[in-house]
Amino acid sequence: MNRAPVLFLNVAVVAACGLVYELLAGTLASYVMGDSVTQFSLIIGLYLSALGVGSWLSKYLEQGLARRFIEIELAVALLGGFSAPILFLIFAHMRHFYPALYGMVFAIGVLVGLEIPILMRLLKDSFEFKDLVARVLTFDYLGALAASILFPILLVPYLGLVRTSLAFGLLNGLVGLWATFILRPQLARVAGLRVRCALVLVLLAAGFAGAGYLTSLAEDNLYNDEIVYAKNTHYQRIVVTRGGGGFQLYLNGHLQFNSIDEYRYHEALVHPAMASCATPRRVAVLGGGDGLALREILKYTQVEQVTLVDLDPGMTELSSSFPPLAVLNAHSFDDPRVRVVNRDAMLWLEECNESFDVVLVDFPDPSNFSLGKLYTTRFYRLLKARLAPGGRVAVQSTSPLFARKSFWCINRTMGKAGFHVKPYQTAVPSFGVWGFSLASQTEFELPHTISAEVRSLDTPSLAALFVLNADMGPVEVEINRLDNQVLVRYYDDELRRWD
Amino acid sequence: MTRMTRREILRLFLGAPALAALGGCGTSKQERDLPPGSLAGASLDFGHRLRTEAPPEPPSEAWQSAGVVIVGGGVAGLSAAWRLLRAGYRDFFLLELESEAGGTARGGRNAVTAYPWGAHYICAPSARNRPLTDLLGEMGILDGTDERGEPVVGEQFVVRDPDERLFHMGRWEEGLYQRAGASEEDLRQLAAFEALIGKYAGMRDGQGRRAFEIPLSLGSDDAILAELDRMSMAEFLSRNGFTSERLCRFVRYACRDDYGAELEQTSAWAGVFYYASRLVRSSSESRPLVTWPQGNGRIVEYLTSLAREKIRTGLAVADVNPVERNGKAEVEIRAFDRVNECGAAYRAKCVIFAAPQFLARYVIRPWRSDPPSHVGAFEYGAWMVANLTLKDRPAEPGYPLCWDNVIYDSPSLGYVVATHQAGRERGPTVFTYYYPLCDSDPKQARARLLATDRDAWAETALADLARPHPEIRSLCERLDVMRWGHAMVRPKPGFLWGQARRQAAAPFRGIHFAHSDLSGVALFEEAQYQGVRAADEVLKVFGVG
């Protein structure tokens, strides 16, 4: 019987496809969840047990085995082929991610588990049992070996996750179509089956062609690491990447933090202001939709209420529900003291009549006019009017090293608006040297100690924050006003120079 | 008039080159569908009735008396009322034709935002302009004074950056002078032009008054630069060797923007005034521009709120008649009451005629048969203003959306963005699109303006705006049109330093005149100056203030 060797090749392809889907699921899960050991061992365990379930179920299939084999092949092609694109799309809705992930892995496992026993039964009359078992298992394991070598070396780097998934779906579909020819003698009618094969192949091919959109996000040169979340909200493009042992948040292509060293940034932003305010009961965060400043603020038990004002509901929702972010910000959005306002901070300040003991201003850098207005005398005057007596403000004010004019422009503008300002800086490896401005309505003492638990700021290093190196010293700058927006021009020039 | 085809309308209002740029004449349903909207125009029919019909004579008990009746509730009339109230004089009425006061400085409002219907900014005043400094101070617009004693306008009221951009060759660029692709000679001429303007801005007369000041009456009245008024701005440019096309377009835009007139129709004095009066001394530092979402409608709202109980709207004054009654001079005023369809009548010791001069010959009874020569010297430009309510901002290449957005080779002036000053950078907005009709014969321009209905103007505005914003039709949810028949006085050559302005400003038998046209340039500051001056004349007659 000359069709047998060809069917053994099928075993190899089926096994390779199955393993690829398993690897894809494991990779995606560890991108999102971060803990790759747990994720991979969970996925592998689930997949293997599903194979067992499939094998066990195979005994219930009695009639038309050849037809069943092809139908199962097509089901695997569809489910496996679309597994990565579907999981990518489900990232935005985290509540559905786990059920979708594990459900999909289990279903693929069951289907693949059905295939090998059926194939063995189709071949049982052509071989002796010992040859049959030996050959099927040999090809099964060879296929798995090929997949496990190809996956990290060729598939992920060159095709990316989404296209790999769709390509293997196509391969599964082709095996199905091919089987309609080699199993022709055992099939009563093939026309309907072939039409279904063609349909599945067309769907997958269309998916492969359309994958450009998803993978263009993933393959964007902007990002060094694998993208695990990407979404265009009404206001900005949010991208989360994972790599180098941590994950990173980008807004419109600008790095906002790296989970490895963000604590240095957020401790420097939050604690000097909190420590130098006698009664930090009511706190506002303007910007800072990642919730990381919230995490630091909520360490203080005196804090009664925190108002977070961030333009983009897409950002604050992500931070409260996307597991890696929510874990990093210590589920700050679930704290009953936190209130989220999704508005333009300047329009909110114009209408606000509350007062705050501490206000932390954590906007993206002034790279356009809509952001530049949030660094103007007008903005700081509105802010000052909302500050309770003895209150403190801390502002992220770009890098005093590579954006020296921008940094001093922000400090001078705050001074012009009537604040007493103390500039300071810290080193954040992902950004370089980063600058902040601590301010109050009246002259004030620098803080000496921080009562909350922190990693980077002990008493000597707190004092050292306020020492600027000679190459970060004051430079001559204009005041940033709504009607001149000089800061946007300074920042643009300085950014250009460093690029 | 027979209906024109879409193509004819567009050719007439946008010109052949613009039409070619539209890429033929699309007649697909999507392109022909216009957003809903209405014609908000000034009450033209009623205005015209004044010339032909006498209002019904009200019964004698219906006559009302006051010390002063102000005819016209534009900025001049409202400013006269403001001045009277500040002097504590309350015995007056202000009669306004439309259903609300404000004239061409009016604004509108919808669910998205307030927006202008006409004048939409002022220059930050110098301390020398006391009435405007006082007014802005009252309104809470000023943040004290600077070290030179000059008033400082609150940052949020100064036009926000980015303020101006120009659409050319498929891209938006910063500023109104087209710099991209300018030759060395172009830039040399621009610098020379700016230097020349700087020189004029620094000029002073023997009494130390600047030659060019806002309002212009605060400047020198020595005719030191009167020769400028005798030539057109086009002549001025060519005499000074300014041949750069970019520069000429730049200056032409200024004349069309502020005066609704072409270079050839604009007095060179007015052309230089536009630039020089905005400079602080002779430096290159410009006076900040001050604006609100509803443009100067914000000031109108404030002035209206002060004088609310004195204002009578919907009254078309048809007859102003100086008489002797019981041996005393007084003025009788007869009007149509548009709401009640009846006559209304007032007696006053003085009238402040705060309507444009062209109406004086139809309304002031002795002038109907024997008009003074000066009334014929006043010419007015016609304008169309469209307000487009957009559900979202158009996407676009190049420099971001500004307050003022100009299309390089369009006969329109482009558009201003009503949400700009409020700092609303996203979501729905209103674009206010300005189109001056600069025909050399103003009567022809007016005929063209009025013969064109809402739909045809909407078609014109959309086709023009579709060049920078191809998706404008799908974004535009409403498009309202205002037709201003007599929008602005035209400072044609010889008019500013001629006799007509001075003659027209002289009181006539208890009638004192107040309107921006008496200044020859239609700026808010001029209208306010004229209104306050006329009120001062009246207060002097009464010995008040």
Side-chain angles (χ1 to χ4, degrees):
Chain A
M1 196 170 171
N2 60 1
R3 64 190 160 88
V6 181
L7 274 174
F8 287 126
L9 202 60
N10 260 356
V11 173
V13 174
V14 166
C17 290
L19 192 74
V20 163
Y21 302 141
E22 182 189 345
L23 291 172
L24 281 170
T27 309
L28 277 167
S30 58
Y31 277 164
V32 177
M33 261 50 93
D35 184 356
S36 59
V37 174
T38 313
Q39 292 309 324
F40 266 101
S41 80
L42 266 177
I43 296 282
I44 290 171
L46 188 69
Y47 184 72
L48 289 177
S49 66
L51 286 178
V53 172
S55 303
W56 185 73
L57 287 175
S58 69
K59 71 172 178 172
Y60 296 104
L61 295 177
E62 306 209 345
Q63 303 293 313
L65 281 183
R67 173 173 294 272
R68 291 282 171 273
F69 175 76
I70 292 165
E71 284 170 349
I72 290 166
E73 197 61 37
L74 294 181
V76 175
L78 274 181
L79 200 58
F82 283 108
S83 62
I86 287 171
L87 290 174
F88 247 108
L89 293 174
I90 286 179
F91 276 157
H93 312 281
M94 282 313 298
R95 256 177 301 136
H96 309 303
F97 185 72
Y98 290 97
L101 174 72
Y102 296 129
M104 203 167 280
V105 167
F106 192 81
I108 293 171
V110 169
L111 290 170
V112 174
L114 280 166
E115 281 182 311
I116 303 296
I118 293 176
L119 207 58
M120 287 174 82
R121 283 159 69 188
L122 285 171
L123 294 170
K124 72 176 191 309
D125 298 334
S126 317
F127 295 90
E128 274 195 47
F129 183 67
K130 62 171 185 178
D131 288 334
L132 183 61
V133 173
R135 290 197 194 189
V136 166
L137 292 184
T138 302
F139 277 96
D140 184 11
Y141 294 132
L142 277 179
L145 177 67
S148 62
I149 292 170
L150 286 177
F151 187 77
I153 295 176
L154 281 179
L155 299 177
V156 174
Y158 292 100
L159 280 183
L161 298 180
V162 171
R163 283 207 177 97
T164 297
S165 163
L166 289 159
F168 277 77
L170 278 168
L171 205 55
N172 265 136
L174 286 171
V175 167
L177 185 63
W178 189 18
T180 63
F181 292 96
I182 43 182
L183 295 176
R184 181 69 186 86
Q186 278 142 288
L187 292 164
R189 294 184 311 275
V190 288
L193 265 181
R194 285 186 184 155
V195 168
R196 275 147 77 188
C197 287
L199 235 125
V200 167
L201 289 172
V202 165
L203 264 176
L204 285 161
F208 195 84
Y213 171 70
L214 274 170
T215 47
S216 75
L217 292 177
E219 286 158 9
D220 204 319
N221 295 331
L222 259 174
Y223 309 105
N224 298 320
D225 302 301
E226 187 81 35
I227 293 179
V228 298
Y229 178 92
K231 191 183 182 192
N232 288 317
T233 70
H234 195 55
Y235 304 100
Q236 58 198 344
R237 179 158 155 215
I238 303 176
V239 170
V240 180
T241 63
R242 172 170 288 283
F247 64 90
Q248 300 80 32
L249 173 74
Y250 292 85
L251 299 181
N252 297 330
H254 297 287
L255 179 65
Q256 302 301 302
F257 71 77
N258 184 333
S259 64
I260 298 294
D261 57 13
E262 59 76 21
Y263 71 94
R264 294 185 66 92
Y265 175 96
H266 290 102
E267 286 183 357
L269 172 70
V270 172
H271 295 292
M274 294 294 284
S276 74
C277 176
T279 53
R281 281 198 276 268
R282 300 168 57 81
V283 182
V285 183
L286 309 184
D290 53 32
L292 300 173
L294 280 184
R295 177 193 64 203
E296 298 301 318
I297 295 162
L298 294 171
K299 288 176 178 173
Y300 292 85
T301 49
Q302 311 98 293
V303 170
E304 290 164 9
Q305 193 192 49
V306 191
T307 306
L308 182 126
V309 184
D310 192 289
L311 182 62
D312 189 356
M315 186 64 233
T316 47
E317 275 159 28
L318 184 74
S319 306
S320 65
S321 63
F322 188 59
L325 272 177
V327 168
L328 193 64
N329 65 41
H331 300 281
S332 294
F333 288 89
D334 300 336
D335 191 299
R337 292 175 285 172
V338 173
R339 173 178 66 140
V340 175
V341 178
N342 291 120
R343 279 208 70 186
D344 178 307
M346 188 145 181
L347 298 179
W348 178 77
L349 272 181
E350 277 173 350
E351 289 162 24
C352 178
N353 46 24
E354 297 170 62
S355 70
F356 299 93
D357 302 307
V358 174
V359 182
L360 301 161
V361 182
D362 190 16
F363 296 128
D365 290 345
S367 55
N368 62 44
F369 295 115
S370 316
L371 289 166
K373 74 172 185 183
L374 304 172
Y375 294 85
T376 55
T377 36
R378 168 70 177 161
F379 182 85
Y380 293 128
R381 285 189 180 118
L382 288 170
L383 185 61
K384 195 161 143 271
R386 302 273 57 91
L387 203 59
R392 295 287 184 275
V393 169
V395 176
Q396 93 81 358
S397 40
T398 78
S399 172
L401 190 59
F402 76 71
R404 190 168 167 184
K405 282 185 117 173
S406 305
F407 177 77
W408 284 103
C409 175
I410 294 169
N411 282 286
R412 293 275 183 268
T413 301
M414 291 177 72
K416 178 76 180 176
F419 278 116
H420 292 255
V421 189
K422 299 193 194 298
Y424 63 103
Q425 53 78 38
T426 192
V428 184
S430 297
F431 293 137
V433 173
W434 211 257
F436 303 88
S437 312
L438 182 62
S440 182
Q441 309 98 322
T442 50
E443 195 47 61
F444 61 98
E445 289 280 303
L446 289 178
H448 298 294
T449 50
I450 285 162
S451 60
E453 198 180 310
V454 288
R455 288 164 73 186
S456 67
L457 297 176
D458 56 7
T459 299
S461 57
L462 181 59
L465 291 183
F466 292 88
V467 180
L468 299 185
N469 290 9
D471 57 357
M472 306 171 197
V475 281
E476 193 68 28
V477 283
E478 281 186 63
I479 301 297
N480 188 41
R481 294 167 46 90
L482 280 177
D483 55 310
N484 68 10
Q485 292 253 24
V486 288
L487 178 61
V488 172
R489 298 164 214 275
Y490 287 148
Y491 187 78
D492 190 51
D493 283 350
E494 289 174 321
L495 207 63
R496 232 183 272 263
R497 218 157 354 109
W498 282 78
D499 283 349
Chain B
M1 149 164 198
T2 53
R3 255 190 95 76
M4 290 185 288
T5 66
R6 175 171 181 264
R7 196 177 181 85
E8 284 165 349
I9 290 164
L10 299 186
R11 182 187 297 282
L12 180 60
F13 288 106
L14 298 179
L19 193 57
L22 295 175
C25 180
T27 50
S28 68
K29 184 175 182 308
Q30 189 252 327
E31 266 202 54
R32 294 210 56 102
D33 275 352
L34 286 174
S38 61
L39 200 57
S43 304
L44 302 162
D45 303 345
F46 230 89
H48 288 149
R49 263 170 81 179
L50 301 182
R51 302 184 185 181
T52 49
E53 277 180 52
E57 188 75 16
S60 57
E61 68 276 11
W63 281 77
Q64 298 185 65
S65 291
V68 182
V69 164
I70 301 170
V71 175
V75 169
L78 288 170
S79 298
W82 173 76
R83 177 69 190 100
L84 295 179
L85 289 170
R86 267 176 81 92
Y89 187 87
R90 306 187 59 81
D91 183 20
F92 70 91
F93 290 111
L94 185 157
L95 313 185
E96 164 60 36
L97 169 68
E98 303 291 334
S99 58
E100 53 184 307
T104 53
R106 265 190 342 246
R109 192 179 290 272
N110 64 17
V112 173
T113 178
Y115 50 80
W117 268 125
H120 56 273
Y121 69 89
I122 61 173
C123 286
S126 76
R128 292 179 295 279
N129 188 355
R130 271 295 297 279
L132 188 51
T133 307
D134 287 347
L135 174 64
L136 295 182
E138 272 180 41
M139 290 174 66
I141 303 300
L142 301 181
D143 265 354
T145 52
D146 67 10
E147 62 279 5
R148 293 177 300 199
E150 291 291 319
V152 176
V153 174
E155 186 176 347
Q156 65 271 41
F157 304 111
V158 177
V159 169
R160 294 185 181 209
D161 197 41
D163 55 352
E164 296 169 332
R165 63 175 186 170
L166 183 67
F167 185 78
H168 184 56
M169 307 281 278
R171 272 189 82 76
W172 289 99
E173 293 167 24
E174 182 178 6
L176 295 186
Y177 180 84
Q178 191 219 333
R179 274 179 198 276
S183 68
E184 259 178 51
E185 175 60 13
D186 285 326
L187 295 176
R188 189 199 63 76
Q189 288 196 18
L190 177 66
F193 180 77
E194 284 170 348
L196 183 60
I197 294 295
K199 203 181 90 192
Y200 281 121
M203 264 184 196
R204 280 157 196 280
D205 69 5
Q207 298 171 53
R209 295 174 300 185
R210 290 179 65 186
F212 297 97
E213 183 82 274
I214 304 179
L216 55 81
S217 310
L218 285 188
S220 171
D221 57 3
D222 291 358
I224 47 174
L225 291 171
E227 86 276 6
L228 278 181
D229 188 44
R230 286 191 285 272
M231 66 176 111
S232 73
M233 197 59 188
E235 254 181 285
F236 174 85
L237 289 174
S238 80
R239 275 198 204 181
N240 285 284
F242 295 121
T243 51
S244 155
E245 197 204 331
R246 282 157 199 261
L247 179 65
C248 292
R249 272 184 186 268
F250 178 65
V251 178
R252 173 174 174 250
Y253 180 84
C255 291
R256 285 155 33 86
D257 187 32
D258 251 29
Y259 307 131
E262 296 289 348
L263 289 171
E264 295 73 18
Q265 305 155 2
T266 306
S267 146
W269 197 95
V272 172
F273 171 82
Y274 174 91
Y275 293 102
S277 64
R278 292 178 179 207
L279 295 180
V280 178
R281 301 207 177 85
S282 62
S283 70
S284 58
E285 186 194 339
S286 286
R287 292 193 174 285
L289 302 185
V290 183
T291 192
W292 298 268
Q294 65 273 55
N296 294 354
R298 175 71 193 86
I299 307 179
V300 163
E301 282 168 18
Y302 175 74
L303 293 174
T304 305
S305 72
L306 294 183
R308 188 166 306 283
E309 64 196 55
K310 305 290 177 193
I311 298 175
R312 300 288 177 269
T313 57
L315 287 181
V317 172
D319 182 42
V320 173
N321 189 24
V323 292
E324 290 262 325
R325 191 157 168 271
N326 305 327
K328 280 187 182 163
E330 62 175 34
V331 187
E332 294 177 353
I333 300 105
R334 292 177 177 81
F336 288 108
D337 182 330
R338 299 174 56 199
V339 179
N340 303 311
E341 285 287 323
C342 62
Y346 295 83
R347 272 183 234 291
K349 293 195 192 76
C350 287
V351 160
I352 294 177
F353 191 84
Q357 275 296 312
F358 78 89
L359 284 177
R361 64 190 296 182
Y362 303 111
V363 172
I364 295 172
R365 190 180 289 185
W367 289 2
R368 248 177 262 161
S369 50
D370 181 20
S373 60
H374 61 77
V375 295
F378 287 77
E379 274 185 14
Y380 302 83
W383 289 62
M384 189 283 291
V385 178
N387 270 301
L388 291 84
T389 305
L390 307 183
K391 63 183 174 197
D392 207 348
R393 320 291 166 100
E396 45 200 348
Y399 201 70
L401 187 65
C402 289
W403 173 60
D404 191 13
N405 305 271
V406 177
I407 304 165
Y408 183 68
D409 48 2
S410 164
S412 77
L413 297 171
Y415 61 91
V416 293
V417 179
T419 48
H420 180 87
Q421 198 61 19
R424 287 164 53 188
E425 289 130 354
R426 297 165 187 88
T429 187
V430 171
F431 284 2
T432 307
Y433 172 87
Y434 293 84
Y435 188 109
L437 289 92
C438 299
D439 311 41
S440 55
D441 177 1
K443 276 204 184 79
Q444 238 165 23
R446 228 166 351 262
R448 218 151 59 89
L449 172 80
L450 301 179
T452 310
D453 62 9
R454 200 288 309 196
D455 286 3
W457 277 123
E459 198 64 69
T460 304
L462 288 170
D464 193 17
L465 290 171
R467 282 193 292 154
H469 307 303
E471 71 276 51
I472 193 78
R473 275 171 194 268
S474 59
L475 292 173
C476 184
E477 296 195 310
R478 197 178 162 81
L479 198 161
D480 298 303
V481 169
M482 178 79 87
R483 299 180 300 185
W484 297 107
H486 297 82
M488 294 172 142
V489 66
R490 273 191 183 172
K492 57 189 175 179
F495 181 67
L496 292 172
W497 288 88
Q499 289 306 305
R501 283 202 308 130
R502 258 155 287 273
Q503 289 163 354
F508 170 74
R509 296 178 60 188
I511 305 171
H512 299 260
F513 294 91
H515 195 269
S516 63
D517 58 5
L518 300 175
S519 292
V521 293
L523 301 185
F524 176 90
E525 291 87 341
E526 302 298 343
Q528 191 205 23
Y529 170 83
Q530 299 293 349
V532 168
R533 175 196 51 74
D536 280 336
E537 284 175 11
V538 168
L539 290 170
K540 204 168 164 193
V541 169
F542 295 157
V544 186

